Amino acid sequence: MQCACLRWAVSLKQVFESDALETHFRRAAQAVQPEEWDRIKLFKFRDDALSSLIGRLMLRQATKKITGRPWSEITFGRTERGKPYLLSPSGFNFGINVSHQGDYVVLSSSCTPRVGVDVMCIERDKTNKTADEYITFMQRSYSKDELRVMRMQPTDTMKLTYFYRFWCLKESIIKATGVGIHDDLAKLDFRMDPNDRYRPGCLLSSTKLMEGDRVKSEWVFEESFLDQLHCVAVCREAIPSIPTCRLSQGSMNSLHFAKVNLEMLLNDCEVLNRIDGCGAATEWLSFFDKPRKPW
């Protein structure tokens, strides 16, 4: 098997603005499993429905690329906590995960079984709190050291940037382990290199997860930005010596996210959820009638 480490991102804004949206949507609705489509249709907002649909396409297209198997031979299930996992083809042991928030849907995969990804839009608090007030409001989710790092930043923008940076990291480890909501997020204590330049364009892998005074060296965290307002974190297992893996060779420890589009995600797709004639038009109208998110 080739290296399974992929990093993909799709911009919802670009998808919504595409002249081919309806054509791509009709193909996409039929290219996912029927039970997946049934769940997608339940979303209230158009943004969430599209994000979920894109996420399912990402999982399937990435699996097709990694395994070399055709679209119709790929089947996903869900754990009790809702995390997708590969049912078929069998015999593969890579990890794969998706996330969406703000303008982006992202995918991360790894040559090791456990991987998690989270994306966050860095935005001001909508309740008109200052950054310090918002951090204090959420302080139960952060360790003392994390709170110190956030509060020492010189501006409200930087304080909130670090607030979302820590949150991304916590979500990524939760998703990698598959434990769902953590009982005490403050116990997920992250330590950052103060010399790192955390800003758009960066690609960092120096942040460590602590357990008391011990570094949990079995985990690697990749941090970067998708644009000025969206930060992303990947949590993956430290990769042993795997000859085909790009991230186990020593010279590379993280990957930038590649921007992809719906056309790429639908490449070589097959019909899994046939919607004939008027049904396809009805599904499109039902989707387009959903309201956009007000924020």
Side-chain angles (χ1 to χ4, degrees), residues 70-81:
W71 195 273
S72 58
E73 291 184 12
I74 298 167
T75 308
F76 286 95
R78 282 181 180 263
T79 66
E80 290 183 358
R81 297 186 181 275

Side-chain angles (χ1 to χ4, degrees), residues 257-271:
F257 276 77
K259 303 286 181 68
V260 300
N261 55 32
L262 264 185
E263 184 175 2
M264 177 270 193
L265 296 179
L266 289 167
N267 183 46
D268 291 331
C269 71
E270 299 176 57
V271 173

Side-chain angles (χ1 to χ4, degrees), residues 116-130:
V117 62
D118 193 61
V119 59
M120 291 296 299
C121 179
I122 301 169
E123 55 187 353
R124 293 296 301 267
D125 172 50
K126 298 182 179 64
T127 61
N128 295 319
K129 290 183 174 69
T130 65

Side-chain angles (χ1 to χ4, degrees), residues 162-192:
Y162 273 76
F163 173 91
Y164 287 115
R165 180 184 183 183
F166 280 118
W167 192 267
C168 248
L169 289 163
K170 291 172 188 284
E171 287 287 340
S172 70
I173 181 69
I174 288 171
K175 296 180 75 177
T177 56
V179 299
I181 298 174
H182 199 277
D183 291 336
D184 187 357
L185 289 174
K187 289 183 178 179
L188 298 174
D189 183 13
F190 287 92
R191 303 295 170 85
M192 298 165 176

Side-chain angles (χ1 to χ4, degrees), residues 30-268:
Q30 299 183 75
V32 296
Q33 294 164 209
E35 67 274 16
E36 294 172 342
W37 179 242
D38 288 340
R39 283 193 293 268
I40 290 167
K41 292 192 296 184
L42 295 177
F43 283 102
K44 176 181 178 181
F45 292 110
R46 201 185 319 165
D47 311 61
D48 293 331
L50 183 60
S51 294
S52 181
L53 179 58
I54 290 171
R56 305 313 294 187
L57 296 175
M58 286 177 126
L59 289 170
R60 190 168 293 275
Q61 186 64 244
T63 299
K64 182 173 74 70
K65 178 178 177 64
I66 293 166
T67 65
R69 301 298 178 84
W71 195 273
S72 58
E73 291 184 12
I74 298 167
T75 308
F76 286 95
R78 282 181 180 263
T79 66
E80 290 183 358
R81 297 186 181 275
K83 184 176 181 178
Y85 67 94
L86 186 64
L87 281 172
S88 61
S90 60
F92 293 92
N93 199 33
F94 64 91
I96 193 165
N97 193 232
V98 294
S99 176
H100 65 85
Q101 209 267 337
D103 185 44
Y104 283 93
V105 187
V106 295
L107 172 140
S108 180
S109 60
S110 175
C111 290
T112 54
R114 296 192 294 175
V115 64
V117 62
D118 193 61
V119 59
M120 291 296 299
C121 179
I122 301 169
E123 55 187 353
R124 293 296 301 267
D125 172 50
K126 298 182 179 64
T127 61
N128 295 319
K129 290 183 174 69
T130 65
D132 285 322
E133 290 171 340
Y134 189 63
I135 290 167
T136 299
F137 177 71
M138 296 291 293
Q139 65 183 350
R140 291 180 59 185
S141 298
Y142 294 89
S143 71
K144 290 182 179 179
D145 190 74
E146 290 169 343
L147 290 169
R148 178 188 62 81
V149 171
M150 283 186 270
R151 287 168 171 155
M152 70 183 288
Q153 301 306 314
T155 66
D156 270 19
T157 297
M158 287 301 298
K159 288 175 182 179
L160 287 173
T161 296
Y162 273 76
F163 173 91
Y164 287 115
R165 180 184 183 183
F166 280 118
W167 192 267
C168 248
L169 289 163
K170 291 172 188 284
E171 287 287 340
S172 70
I173 181 69
I174 288 171
K175 296 180 75 177
T177 56
V179 299
I181 298 174
H182 199 277
D183 291 336
D184 187 357
L185 289 174
K187 289 183 178 179
L188 298 174
D189 183 13
F190 287 92
R191 303 295 170 85
M192 298 165 176
D193 185 338
N195 295 316
D196 280 342
R197 303 290 297 274
Y198 185 68
R199 60 184 181 182
C202 72
L203 182 59
L204 307 176
S205 57
S206 57
T207 296
K208 307 299 182 185
L209 175 62
M210 306 297 295
E211 186 173 65
D213 294 328
R214 182 180 75 87
V215 175
K216 293 181 70 68
S217 57
E218 65 267 35
W219 297 108
V220 173
F221 296 90
E222 303 173 22
E223 299 180 86
S224 57
F225 282 77
L226 300 175
D227 60 18
Q228 295 286 332
L229 293 177
H230 292 81
C231 60
V232 61
V234 174
C235 170
R236 59 172 175 81
E237 294 172 277
I239 296 175
S241 181
I242 302 174
T244 58
C245 180
R246 291 177 287 171
L247 297 181
S248 71
Q249 305 307 313
S251 61
M252 182 185 299
N253 205 31
S254 51
L255 297 172
H256 279 291
F257 276 77
K259 303 286 181 68
V260 300
N261 55 32
L262 264 185
E263 184 175 2
M264 177 270 193
L265 296 179
L266 289 167
N267 183 46
D268 291 331

